[in-house]
Amino acid sequence: METTSKKSFITGEIMKSSILEAFRKLNPVNMVKNPVLFVVEIGFILVLLLAIFPNMMGDDNGGHLRLYNAIVAVILLVTILFANFAESIAEGRGKAQVQTLKKTNTVTEARVLLSDGTQVMKQANELIKGDIVIVQAGEVIPNDGEVIEGIATVDESAITGESAPVVKERGGDFSSVTGGTTVTSDWLKIEITSLPGESFLDKMIALIEGASRKKTPNEIALNTLLVSLTIIFLLVVVTLYPMTTYLNVDIPVATLIALIVCLIPTTIGGLLSAIGIAGMDRVTQFNVIAMSGRAVEACGDVDTLILDKTGTITYGNRLASEFSPVLGVDKKELIRAAWLSSLTDDTPEGKSILSLAIKLNVDAADEKKIIKTSDPISFTAQTRMSGLDMQNGTKIRKGAYDSIKNRSVAAGHALPKDLEGLVHQVSSLGGTPLVVTENDNILGVIYLKDVVKPGLKERFELLRAMGIKTIMCTGDNPLTAATIAKEAGVDGFIAESKPEDKINVIKEEQAQGKIVAMTGDGTNDAPALAQANVGLAMNSGTNAAKEAANMVDLDSNPTKIIEVVEIGKQLLMTRGALTTFSIANDVAKYFAIIPAMLMVAVPEMGALNVMQLNSPTSAIISALIFNAIIIPLLIPIAMKGVKYKPMSASKLLSRNLLVYGLGGIIAPFIGIKFIDLIIGPILRMMGL
């Protein structure tokens, strides 16, 4: 992620395309989608007509107003262009990434394996689901699929941005491959799982382009508020014109339009769409693909976080740390049995048991012969044990305490008196105990150590400060789960968790009105990912998990859900902060526009001219210019987001009101006064 975070905020190419796009967006068909700016565009057209035909409103002094109307029209046009530019910048960053991905999404040839064993070459766009292809070192994987044979390293940098190749093999969490990535060593036999045009890369391109981006519920609600404020101010100003005419107060139409533009929330209206697009872009820059803006926004409202223990809270690769024999059993006998039980175990745990046994000088001379003549017993969720049946009739097993205990008792063996103590000792240390037997006679316990990732406890404390509850799900026994939960600092845990347990806890939290997020990578996680408000699937996981989730992590880092929640929070903070700033701006601009409009006809209004501006014309134009330039000045904040600080909702509201509310009131006084000092003398020279 360090590489992505260093990407420049805006490039020359993005700047050029955004300027051109800002003019294209002037089309009323496009502008009507943003009612606030559409009102500004209508105002621009009216003032432009008045500049061209100054007498069309019956003004006797129409010629004198031509220049004033022209200046107002230009400022209104610039205001719209700045707002369009903000949105175009946000879209441009996404389009730049799309161009990179499209270069990857080239048509390649695939070596298809037929049922009779022969191979034929096909174009990748001719492949169908179920086709079996063979991809060798240096070749591009033609489409999404699952590895069914072979083991190889795959360069996924075109998708993830990470240069280190990823090992792909059949089974486990790393069997899924993505079209457009490159095999860098060995070979893979892959079963194609998606149709042409429906690959993960195709979906990424469509999502990042934002062509199908829909406004989120919060965005729609805020847009409704802005439209309501616009209608209210529009009605106020429209009724103001006949009232001032009746009182013989001559107010130019351009001034009334300027009043509307300055009072309606043009700032947030111009930035609202850019904030939403930038929110999705920040997630994308973080190597997470969000299926919709709703998913990103939901992250900001998360109340409960469901986390797997293995690979998320702990490193996941539990390593054998110690062999503890029961009373009456020689330690060498236990080590030999543990070594035998793991000869055909390809899991990281099994390999670590072999490594530790060899380190402790186990007799491994007959390894190949034993493997060749024995029947391997694979681990299953039902038996919860594995091992092998040797040619001489010896049965070696290692597995969960409860399963081994029940098997041993059923075979008529008495349980060692110190067995439960050894198991409890390992569990109390946060480890996983594996009990080893020979012909159902218990020999001792293997201590598998599971290490909590550093810094997670502090992260969970920050989440707690934001009011987010964390729940750990694990298949471990309650004692082990409690130990890990305490060390990690989560708020709750579910031990001996099954797929349905995750769904149940999500439903229970949602029944209380809470927004729930969770991560997953396996097919058994798919139902829970679909049920959660925010489901983050790992790119290395199964296609079922990726289809069920509404976010996919290209780096396959389960802990990233914490950062994704923070990005969602930042999106809401940014929108709230800039909305507060915009409305505060409008309040402050009253003191520039209203006194300037009326103090010539009503001298007593001069008391409200607290900024002591040069003239009514100077005040109005200064306010309009400030109203226009504040939009591009806020683009960096809209794009990068308000600096994220974990805090409760009440503290966040207080901070926004203090920093952005107060700042939004003060900024116009300083900005308008500064602009007035510059343009006041110029306007006097022009006779305005």
Side-chain angles (χ1 to χ4, degrees):
M1 285 313 303
E2 291 181 3
T3 55
T4 56
S5 63
K6 292 180 182 178
K7 290 180 181 178
S8 59
F9 165 63
I10 181 172
T11 64
E13 185 63 31
I14 292 177
M15 174 70 78
K16 181 181 177 181
S17 63
S18 297
I19 292 173
L20 294 174
E21 191 64 25
F23 281 94
R24 292 193 190 101
K25 287 178 179 288
L26 289 174
N27 187 334
V29 175
N30 178 76
M31 295 300 299
V32 76
K33 298 175 184 177
N34 190 329
V36 177
L37 292 180
F38 186 59
V39 169
V40 179
E41 184 171 50
I42 292 174
F44 157 69
I45 294 171
L46 289 175
V47 178
L48 180 63
L49 290 174
L50 288 172
I52 299 172
F53 309 106
N55 295 314
M56 66 180 291
M57 297 299 293
D59 293 316
D60 295 331
N61 198 22
H64 177 72
L65 290 175
R66 182 191 294 268
L67 181 58
Y68 173 66
N69 291 338
I71 293 173
V72 172
V74 169
I75 298 173
L76 293 180
L77 175 61
V78 171
T79 302
I80 302 168
L81 289 174
F82 279 157
N84 289 345
F85 178 73
E87 185 176 28
S88 299
I89 285 287
E91 293 173 344
R93 282 164 61 87
K95 289 176 181 177
Q97 188 173 359
V98 165
Q99 293 307 314
T100 302
L101 290 173
K102 282 183 175 178
K103 291 176 184 177
T104 304
N105 197 22
T106 56
V107 175
T108 59
E109 284 195 328
R111 189 180 293 104
V112 181
L113 184 65
L114 302 180
S115 57
D116 60 2
T118 59
Q119 298 179 12
V120 296
M121 301 301 294
K122 284 186 180 182
Q123 293 292 316
N125 55 12
E126 297 175 352
L127 296 175
I128 60 174
K129 284 184 180 181
D131 276 347
I132 306 298
V133 300
I134 295 177
V135 186
Q136 298 178 347
E139 296 179 346
V140 176
I141 295 173
N143 213 335
D144 295 356
E146 294 280 345
V147 176
I148 58 175
E149 190 178 331
I151 178 171
T153 55
V154 177
D155 178 7
E156 297 185 325
S157 58
I159 306 295
T160 67
E162 298 294 333
S163 57
V166 180
V167 176
K168 297 288 185 178
E169 58 184 319
R170 179 181 177 180
D173 297 337
F174 294 90
S175 62
S176 173
V177 291
T178 304
T181 56
T182 305
V183 175
T184 55
S185 72
D186 303 293
W187 60 274
L188 294 173
K189 184 184 289 186
I190 300 167
E191 180 178 352
I192 300 300
T193 57
S194 64
L195 294 170
E198 296 179 1
S199 70
F200 184 64
L201 191 58
D202 292 312
K203 292 177 182 177
M204 281 176 63
I205 291 172
L207 289 165
I208 298 172
E209 278 182 324
S212 58
R213 180 182 178 271
K214 296 179 181 179
K215 291 184 177 180
T216 63
N218 284 349
E219 207 171 341
I220 292 171
L222 181 55
N223 201 55
T224 302
L225 172 64
L226 299 183
V227 170
S228 300
L229 291 174
T230 301
I231 293 173
I232 290 171
F233 286 123
L234 190 60
L235 291 174
V236 169
V237 174
V238 167
T239 55
L240 187 63
Y241 183 74
M243 290 172 59
T244 54
T245 302
Y246 178 76
L247 295 173
N248 293 320
V249 177
D250 185 21
I251 298 179
V253 173
T255 299
L256 292 173
I257 292 174
L259 175 62
I260 293 174
V261 172
C262 285
L263 297 188
I264 64 177
T266 50
T267 305
I268 187 61
L271 295 172
L272 184 58
S273 182
I275 293 170
I277 296 171
M280 290 191 70
D281 180 63
R282 279 196 296 278
V283 171
T284 303
Q285 295 297 324
F286 204 61
N287 266 10
V288 173
I289 299 299
M291 301 306 179
S292 67
R294 182 189 291 264
V296 180
E297 191 173 86
C299 289
D301 291 324
V302 165
D303 302 297
T304 304
L305 202 53
I306 310 293
L307 299 159
D308 274 326
K309 185 203 77 170
T310 306
T312 304
I313 293 175
T314 63
Y315 282 110
N317 293 337
R318 299 172 297 172
L319 305 178
S321 177
E322 187 179 348
F323 298 113
S324 301
V326 296
L327 290 173
V329 175
D330 186 81
K331 189 171 184 177
K332 290 183 178 179
E333 184 183 354
L334 169 62
I335 295 173
R336 171 72 176 180
W339 176 77
L340 288 170
S341 72
S342 302
L343 282 177
T344 57
D345 186 351
D346 290 332
T347 65
E349 293 86 352
K351 292 175 182 177
S352 73
I353 292 171
L354 293 176
S355 298
L356 181 60
I358 292 172
K359 186 178 180 182
L360 296 175
N361 300 318
V362 70
D363 181 11
D366 53 352
E367 176 182 346
K368 292 183 179 179
K369 179 181 178 182
I370 293 173
I371 294 175
K372 187 175 181 179
T373 59
S374 300
D375 295 325
I377 307 300
S378 300
F379 177 90
T380 67
Q382 289 74 32
T383 63
R384 298 178 69 197
M385 65 180 72
S386 63
L388 52 78
D389 291 342
M390 301 176 66
Q391 191 178 34
N392 61 9
T394 303
K395 299 180 185 297
I396 305 293
R397 297 288 187 274
K398 72 173 187 294
Y401 167 62
D402 290 338
S403 299
I404 294 291
K405 179 182 72 172
N406 294 337
R407 179 185 173 95
S408 181
V409 170
H413 295 280
L415 294 177
K417 294 181 179 179
D418 60 336
L419 176 62
E420 189 172 343
L422 291 174
V423 170
H424 184 274
Q425 182 181 358
V426 172
S427 298
S428 64
L429 294 173
T432 300
L434 286 183
V435 181
V436 181
T437 68
E438 181 176 335
N439 293 327
D440 298 328
N441 185 41
I442 295 175
L443 303 180
V445 175
I446 305 172
Y447 174 18
L448 295 181
K449 194 172 184 180
D450 206 356
V451 182
V452 173
K453 293 181 179 179
L456 273 188
K457 189 168 186 177
E458 292 74 17
R459 300 287 294 280
F460 290 145
E461 287 175 357
L462 292 177
L463 291 174
R464 196 173 296 112
M466 292 186 289
I468 298 176
K469 180 170 73 173
T470 51
I471 299 175
M472 179 186 77
C473 291
T474 175
D476 292 335
N477 62 66
L479 185 59
T480 302
T483 303
I484 295 291
K486 182 178 180 181
E487 185 179 348
V490 294
D491 298 310
F493 66 89
I494 300 173
E496 299 177 346
S497 172
K498 299 181 287 295
E500 55 267 28
D501 293 329
K502 295 179 182 179
I503 298 178
N504 290 337
V505 71
I506 292 172
K507 288 181 177 179
E508 288 172 6
E509 293 293 317
Q510 290 174 333
Q512 300 173 34
K514 296 181 179 179
I515 304 297
V516 183
M518 77 157 286
T519 62
D521 57 5
T523 301
N524 61 344
D525 291 324
L529 288 169
Q531 179 67 37
N533 302 90
V534 178
L536 178 64
M538 303 298 102
N539 187 38
S540 62
T542 64
N543 287 316
K546 289 189 278 189
E547 289 291 335
N550 50 21
M551 287 186 171
V552 177
D553 174 22
L554 302 180
D555 297 326
S556 300
N557 176 7
T559 60
K560 198 180 286 186
I561 186 69
I562 299 174
E563 280 84 359
V564 171
V565 167
E566 291 177 354
I567 291 174
K569 292 282 185 187
Q570 186 186 39
L571 170 63
L572 297 184
M573 286 173 63
T574 302
R575 188 183 294 153
L578 293 185
T579 300
T580 303
F581 185 89
S582 177
I583 294 175
N585 255 254
D586 297 335
V587 173
K589 281 179 284 191
Y590 273 98
F591 294 93
I593 296 289
I594 299 296
M597 283 176 52
L598 302 175
M599 66 183 180
V600 174
V602 185
E604 291 80 5
M605 292 292 292
L608 294 177
N609 187 19
V610 294
M611 286 189 274
Q612 297 297 306
L613 302 177
N614 275 290
S615 67
T617 302
S618 173
I620 292 165
I621 293 178
S622 297
L624 272 180
I625 292 174
F626 176 84
N627 191 66
I629 64 174
I630 197 64
I631 295 176
L633 291 177
L634 291 175
I635 288 177
I637 297 178
M639 294 296 298
K640 295 181 180 180
V642 172
K643 187 175 181 180
Y644 174 75
K645 290 185 178 180
M647 62 182 69
S648 64
S650 58
K651 288 183 179 179
L652 178 61
L653 178 61
S654 301
R655 178 177 178 271
N656 277 351
L657 289 176
L658 178 63
V659 176
Y660 293 95
L662 186 60
I665 291 176
I666 294 174
F669 284 95
I670 298 173
I672 292 173
K673 180 64 177 178
F674 179 75
I675 295 169
D676 178 74
L677 290 174
I678 296 174
I679 69 168
I682 298 174
L683 292 176
R684 280 198 299 270
M685 291 173 57
M686 298 171 66
L688 295 176

